[in-house]
Amino acid sequence: MVEIKQTQPIPIASLNFDPQNPRIPSSIDSTNNDAVINWMLKSANLLELMGSIAEKGFFPAEPLLVIPISEGQDEYYVVEGNRRFAALYLLNNLAEIKTKKSAVEELIKLAADHKHDLQNIPVLIYDVRDEIEEYLGYRHITGVKPWSPIAKAKYLKQLQSSVSDLPKDEQYRSLARTIGSKSNHVRLLLVGLEVAEQINEQKYYNVENLDDTTLDFGVLYTALAKSNISDYVGVNLNAQKPTENLDPEKLGDLVHWMFERNEKGKTKLGESRNLSDLDEVVASEEALLEFKKGASLSESLKLSDDPHEAFLDSLESADSELKRAINILDYVDSDNLEEDFSVAKRISKTLEVVIEKLKSKL
């Protein structure tokens, strides 16, 4: 079991990156703090983390875990917490920056304005690396469960009251710095929560088994990030009051498409990856009309481009399937073909309608 240590402050200048950190590429000189930091600036979302620390300070309940570089020296390797160490190193203006200079300088100024002590860093000192391995295995493999999107959104709403006097864009930026995220993501989470609350007020549009525990908030706020879908339901992500013109009826359409399940357990949307297709469908009057009439998403999508091409594709598909049916028919038992004959007659009548419509257009 890992020994319980007491947190103690260590000067930032005494800390170094761990040369055995498996996340640092071998092409990066891990003994060179500047090299590691410039690499992390490109790939590790350091700016968001820097903004959070600059605004709120370093959270002492999350100390860095370090080991001595050598016996008798006050120099340490950071075994756990390299991103936080990199953010602190930058905020103390200790690195020679080769990328994102203006953004880093702005955050250094923000940290200076807040006057947090970012030079003496709370750490837990272990004698050897092996003492930390058990903890690291728990934290990164089976421990620390990230919050769900809805939990993040509710937390942000609680924090929002503290910045309510700011314009919306400033609120989002401030909250993003607080949680170490991006303002666009914060905006989307908060607007998504507003829409989820509207769905709750509408009693989830009477969709069976849909409530606050089963609503997939991730799918909802991802849908709202699609410009045509957000326009359709009346949400303007960039407005001071994003849901002011929300259309309850059209929101109900979206809820039914995304969350109402048929007898096979499928929704009209299908997989969440189909949201881009739905976004195209709602932007086309012809495609949307067919979708509302009961056509599948894939069928409706064909109408979102060229209706003539979609019509021809449908005829070609029907012709191909009928030819396949003819080939199979040779192997079908001749008994009990009444239902088969009935379906074939129905297809024949449908084809007659198609031909008559074509004649009238010609």
Side-chain angles (χ1 to χ4, degrees), residues 79-348:
V79 179
E80 168 64 13
N82 279 279
R83 284 185 67 246
R84 284 171 287 150
F85 170 48
L88 289 163
Y89 202 86
L90 284 164
L91 289 172
N92 279 283
N93 203 15
L94 297 176
E96 185 176 337
I97 306 165
K98 297 180 180 178
T99 183
K100 302 182 181 179
K101 282 188 177 182
S102 58
V104 171
E105 288 168 358
E106 184 179 338
L107 291 169
I108 290 172
K109 183 179 181 302
L110 178 66
D113 290 343
H114 282 283
K115 299 180 180 179
H116 297 298
D117 179 11
L118 302 181
Q119 294 185 4
N120 297 295
I121 311 306
V123 303
L124 295 178
I125 301 176
Y126 289 84
D127 294 329
V128 292
R129 184 183 304 276
D130 289 346
E131 293 182 333
I132 308 178
E133 292 301 329
E134 182 181 332
Y135 169 79
L136 293 183
Y138 171 79
R139 179 177 177 84
H140 293 298
I141 306 300
T142 58
V144 185
K145 183 180 180 181
W147 284 5
S148 66
I150 188 68
K152 290 178 183 177
K154 290 179 177 179
Y155 174 65
L156 284 166
K157 185 178 180 181
Q158 293 172 1
L159 294 180
Q160 196 173 20
S161 60
S162 65
V163 293
S164 59
D165 57 325
L166 298 175
K168 272 291 169 66
D169 285 346
E170 287 296 323
Q171 289 183 28
Y172 298 141
R173 279 195 286 269
S174 177
L175 292 172
R177 287 194 295 266
T178 299
I179 67 168
S181 184
K182 296 183 179 179
S183 60
N184 286 344
H185 185 58
V186 168
R187 181 199 306 268
L188 197 54
L189 285 170
L190 286 170
V191 174
L193 182 60
E194 286 185 43
V195 174
E197 290 170 346
Q198 290 289 328
I199 295 172
N200 180 42
E201 287 184 13
Q202 297 292 333
K203 301 188 183 302
Y204 296 89
Y205 291 93
N206 298 317
V207 174
E208 187 176 3
N209 297 323
L210 187 65
D211 56 28
D212 61 337
T213 64
T214 57
L215 179 78
D216 192 331
F217 182 70
V219 173
L220 176 63
Y221 83 78
T222 302
L224 296 174
K226 306 293 183 183
S227 59
N228 297 324
I229 293 176
S230 59
D231 287 345
Y232 178 75
V233 299
V235 169
N236 184 347
L237 291 172
N238 297 314
Q240 287 294 307
K241 296 180 179 179
T243 60
E244 184 177 24
N245 297 314
L246 185 68
D247 187 322
E249 184 176 340
K250 290 182 176 178
L251 177 59
D253 291 340
L254 184 63
V255 169
H256 282 278
W257 297 335
M258 295 196 304
F259 302 122
E260 187 172 42
R261 299 186 179 277
N262 59 22
E263 64 278 1
K264 295 182 179 180
K266 303 291 185 180
T267 65
K268 287 208 73 173
L269 173 67
E271 301 291 332
S272 59
R273 64 189 176 193
N274 296 334
L275 282 170
S276 295
D277 293 344
L278 180 60
D279 191 56
E280 291 188 41
V281 166
V282 298
S284 164
E285 289 185 15
E286 296 86 356
L288 182 58
L289 181 61
E290 288 304 306
F291 190 57
K292 285 186 172 182
K293 284 181 179 179
S296 70
L297 184 58
S298 59
E299 292 169 340
S300 304
L301 184 63
K302 294 176 182 178
L303 293 173
S304 66
D305 294 323
D306 181 358
H308 176 259
E309 186 178 333
F311 173 70
L312 190 58
D313 282 347
S314 296
L315 285 183
E316 293 286 0
S317 296
D319 181 51
S320 176
E321 285 299 313
L322 285 172
K323 287 176 179 176
R324 179 169 171 266
I326 290 171
N327 291 331
I328 295 173
L329 185 58
D330 292 337
Y331 302 96
V332 174
D333 193 332
S334 58
D335 296 331
N336 301 319
L337 291 178
E338 290 84 359
E339 183 178 355
D340 309 63
F341 192 72
S342 175
V343 172
K345 287 179 66 176
R346 188 170 74 242
I347 292 172
S348 177

Side-chain angles (χ1 to χ4, degrees), residues 2-56:
V2 179
E3 178 186 355
I4 298 174
K5 301 281 186 176
Q6 293 296 318
T7 302
Q8 54 185 295
I10 292 292
I12 185 75
S14 299
L15 301 176
N16 297 272
F17 287 101
D18 177 19
Q20 295 186 37
N21 187 330
R23 286 175 289 182
I24 299 176
S26 57
S27 60
I28 303 297
D29 181 3
S30 58
T31 64
N32 184 325
N33 284 355
D34 286 354
V36 175
I37 281 176
N38 279 285
W39 168 73
M40 294 182 77
L41 269 172
K42 295 178 182 177
S43 59
N45 297 325
L46 273 188
L47 294 178
E48 290 83 1
L49 181 56
M50 287 175 66
S52 178
I53 294 175
E55 182 111 345
K56 300 297 180 182

